[in-house]
Amino acid sequence: MVSEREEIRFDIIYGSVGSGTRRIMAIVTAVALIALYAISFPAVLDYITFMKVEKTGYLKIRFDWLFSIYIVFIIATIIRYIWLAWQAMRGVAPDDFDPTKASSGV
């Protein structure tokens, strides 16, 4: 996971709006991502459990073990965006974009 400052955004729009609009944008984005990950979760779980029949070519590791890290990613992402939406609903606006502190995210 990357920090809020290193996240990729559409900075032309995001940087030109006020804190209230940034809060609304954060809530809409969080709700959309939570819904999409939650809707896709049963299909992902089904696919990962299906992949227990396949193994890697040389190491003979089952693919369900390899793909299971994606379940951790989905759960962590949902929790993160629940937290960000909760913060935005409480009135904490996401940070202003500061072009002097922009980084490559690396």
Side-chain angles (χ1 to χ4, degrees):
M1 297 270 183
V2 295
S3 68
E4 270 307 292
R5 295 180 189 271
E6 295 172 344
E7 198 172 80
I8 297 172
R9 294 189 177 104
F10 295 104
D11 292 335
I12 294 172
I13 298 169
Y14 188 81
S16 65
V17 298
S19 64
T21 307
R22 276 196 314 275
R23 284 182 41 229
I24 292 170
M25 290 169 74
I27 292 170
V28 169
T29 302
V31 168
L33 288 173
I34 291 166
L36 288 172
Y37 279 121
I39 289 169
S40 71
F41 189 76
V44 167
L45 192 59
D46 185 45
Y47 181 75
I48 290 172
T49 55
F50 167 75
M51 289 306 290
K52 70 181 174 187
V53 299
E54 294 287 327
K55 293 183 179 181
T56 59
Y58 291 106
L59 297 176
K60 302 299 182 202
I61 300 172
R62 290 183 2 198
F63 275 112
D64 62 335
W65 286 86
L66 295 176
F67 294 159
S68 63
I69 191 66
Y70 189 67
I71 293 173
V72 176
F73 168 76
I74 287 177
I75 292 170
T77 303
I78 289 172
I79 291 170
R80 177 182 186 205
Y81 278 99
I82 288 172
W83 174 254
L84 290 175
W86 175 253
Q87 292 285 27
M89 285 187 251
R90 285 186 41 224
V92 179
D95 294 337
D96 283 336
F97 176 71
D98 186 3
T100 62
K101 296 181 181 176
S103 68
S104 65
V106 179

